[in-house]
């Protein structure tokens, strides 16, 4: 037995607490993961057991401690231009559509939401794709300043990294392949072992702490939503609830992208499946 061991009963208490606070569901096989990720927090908070820590946190309804617990168990796996095909669909299909709308209405503003954006690779990838597209669009139409990109996440530490826009060599090796390689030199400056997103791109992305359980009213509506590789962590009941709310947050004719292993299976609510190349995405009809 270790200095701090998480009993089955304590595991059940914590995973219910986590599901209640952020809807992430931890399976029976996640006991060791939860134990290792919470142990440091428990010790730093001055407790000698998980149950003492749990009782104090729940009793006080400590919001800062809640955020630390959620932050500790959140999976922050991400990379640039993840999965490839959605970005091709964006380049070849969706951005040309937006450009036509912009040409007929130069004052039109477009909004994109990168939900569960982790440390920022996805919203910055969006900004790069849009800037590159607009630079190659010779007929006028869409301008980068017409597109607002919002990145949200429940993890305070991830958002800190995202706002800084500074990435180490390991992060910069993940995703800049094939046609995306030139973007690394074009949109980043090297500062020793760290690469920083150029200020022009930073100015086009806004980051916000946000729990997907909360009301979407403050976010308003979007033309495109990227909700990728996050729904897999939720219960089926919450996923259906979330998809309904996401649908209502997308303008008619707007788009939803899920992760490569995710789908709207079982959801009936006016989101039509679309395909472009290898990409599958959904349109609000």
């Amino acid at each position: 037995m270790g200095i701090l061991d998480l009993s089955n009963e304590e595991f059940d208490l914590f995973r219910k607490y986590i599901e209640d606070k952020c809807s992430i569901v931890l399976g029976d096989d996640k006991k060791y993961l939860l134990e290792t990720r919470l142990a440091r927090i428990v010790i730093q908070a001055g407790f000698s057991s998980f149950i003492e820590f749990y009782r104090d946190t729940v009793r006080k309804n400590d919001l800062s401690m809640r955020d630390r617990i959620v932050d500790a168990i959140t999976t922050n796996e991400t990379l640039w231009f993840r999965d490839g095909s959605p970005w091709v669909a964006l380049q070849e299909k969706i951005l040309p559509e937006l450009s036509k709308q912009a040409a007929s209405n130069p004052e039109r503003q477009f909004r994109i939401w990168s939900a569960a954006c982790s440390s920022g690779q996805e919203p910055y990838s969006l900004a790069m794709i849009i800037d590159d597209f607009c630079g190659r669009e010779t007929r006028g139409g869409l301008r980068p300043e017409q597109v607002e990109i919002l990145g949200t996440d429940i993890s305070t530490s991830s958002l800190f990294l995202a706002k800084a826009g500074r990435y180490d060599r390991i992060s910069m090796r993940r995703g800049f392949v094939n046609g995306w390689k030139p973007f690394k030199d074009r949109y980043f400056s090297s500062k020793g072992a760290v690469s920083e997103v150029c200020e022009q791109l930073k100015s086009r992305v806004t980051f916000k702490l946000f729990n997907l359980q909360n009301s979407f009213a403050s976010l308003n509506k979007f033309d495109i939503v990227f909700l990728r590789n996050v729904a897999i962590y939720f219960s089926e009941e919450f996923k259906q609830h979330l998809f309904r709310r996401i649908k209502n947050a997308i303008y008619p004719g707007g788009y939803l992208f899920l992760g490569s292993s995710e789908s709207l299976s079982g959801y009936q609510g006016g989101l039509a499946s679309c395909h472009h190349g290898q990409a599958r995405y959904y349109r609000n009809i």
Side-chain angles (χ1 to χ4, degrees):
M1 301 289 284
I3 297 175
L4 278 181
D5 294 289
L6 187 68
S7 70
N8 291 333
E9 292 76 14
E10 291 166 342
F11 176 53
D12 288 339
L13 288 172
F14 272 107
R15 63 176 172 176
K16 183 181 185 305
Y17 174 85
I18 289 164
E19 184 173 359
D20 288 345
K21 299 303 180 185
C22 65
S23 295
I24 292 175
V25 177
L26 298 178
D28 293 341
D29 61 337
K30 300 300 183 183
K31 180 171 175 284
Y32 178 72
L33 178 143
L34 186 61
E35 179 180 272
T36 54
R37 293 192 179 182
L38 289 188
R40 180 176 295 180
I41 298 176
V42 173
I43 293 170
Q44 288 176 344
F47 294 95
S48 58
S49 70
F50 284 105
I51 192 62
E52 289 177 3
F53 172 70
Y54 172 82
R55 288 170 178 163
D56 186 78
T57 300
V58 172
R59 178 174 57 83
K60 292 181 178 178
N61 192 26
D62 189 328
L63 299 184
S64 64
M65 194 59 72
R66 176 205 64 187
D67 291 344
R68 289 189 66 188
I69 293 170
V70 171
D71 199 32
I73 60 91
T74 303
T75 300
N76 296 314
E77 171 67 17
T78 188
L79 65 155
W80 307 99
F81 306 102
R82 187 172 183 177
D83 298 330
S85 59
W87 307 99
V88 175
L90 198 66
Q91 281 181 316
E92 298 179 353
K93 179 68 176 174
I94 296 177
L95 288 180
E97 288 183 11
L98 299 190
S99 191
K100 288 180 182 178
Q101 295 179 41
S104 62
N105 183 4
E107 302 305 313
R108 172 85 153 86
Q109 291 291 311
F110 301 91
R111 302 187 72 232
I112 304 177
W113 179 19
S114 171
C117 70
S118 189
S119 48
Q121 282 89 330
E122 183 173 89
Y124 286 133
S125 293
L126 283 164
M128 286 184 268
I129 287 277
I130 291 164
D131 188 80
D132 178 72
F133 174 84
C134 293
R136 291 185 288 104
E137 182 58 74
T138 58
R139 294 164 297 182
L142 189 66
R143 306 183 310 277
E145 58 270 23
Q146 286 180 274
V147 185
E148 174 192 344
I149 301 170
L150 173 67
T152 68
D153 204 273
I154 198 171
S155 167
T156 53
S157 61
S158 290
L159 285 177
F160 176 83
L161 295 173
K163 290 176 182 178
R166 293 164 57 85
Y167 300 92
D168 61 22
R169 288 170 179 167
I170 294 175
S171 299
M172 294 303 294
R173 284 199 292 265
R174 306 191 66 217
F176 282 110
V177 297
N178 303 324
W180 317 121
K181 284 182 179 179
F183 288 8
K184 187 190 296 188
D185 293 330
R186 191 187 312 173
Y187 296 110
F188 290 82
S189 59
S190 179
K191 299 182 178 181
V194 172
S195 295
E196 184 169 352
V197 179
C198 69
E199 290 300 323
Q200 184 181 29
L201 283 192
K202 280 188 185 181
S203 68
R204 294 174 186 161
V205 181
T206 301
F207 292 101
K208 177 183 174 108
L209 185 68
F210 188 74
N211 186 332
L212 290 170
Q213 288 183 333
N214 294 346
S215 168
F216 291 179
S218 65
L219 304 180
N220 297 317
K221 287 186 177 284
F222 299 91
D223 298 276
I224 304 170
V225 173
F226 274 57
L227 181 75
R228 304 173 67 230
N229 308 296
V230 62
I232 53 174
Y233 298 107
F234 298 145
S235 68
E236 191 60 35
E237 180 182 4
F238 183 73
K239 275 194 285 190
Q240 300 304 316
H241 175 63
L242 177 62
F243 291 151
R244 286 193 294 272
R245 296 164 68 220
I246 289 286
K247 193 265 184 192
N248 292 333
I250 300 174
Y251 287 118
Y255 295 98
L256 168 65
F257 283 87
L258 299 179
S260 59
S261 63
E262 300 169 318
S263 74
L264 292 181
S265 177
Y267 173 76
Q268 304 294 328
L271 288 167
S273 180
C274 303
H275 291 83
H276 180 81
Q278 299 299 311
R280 178 177 63 178
Y281 51 100
Y282 301 90
R283 187 164 196 170
N284 188 11
I285 57 177

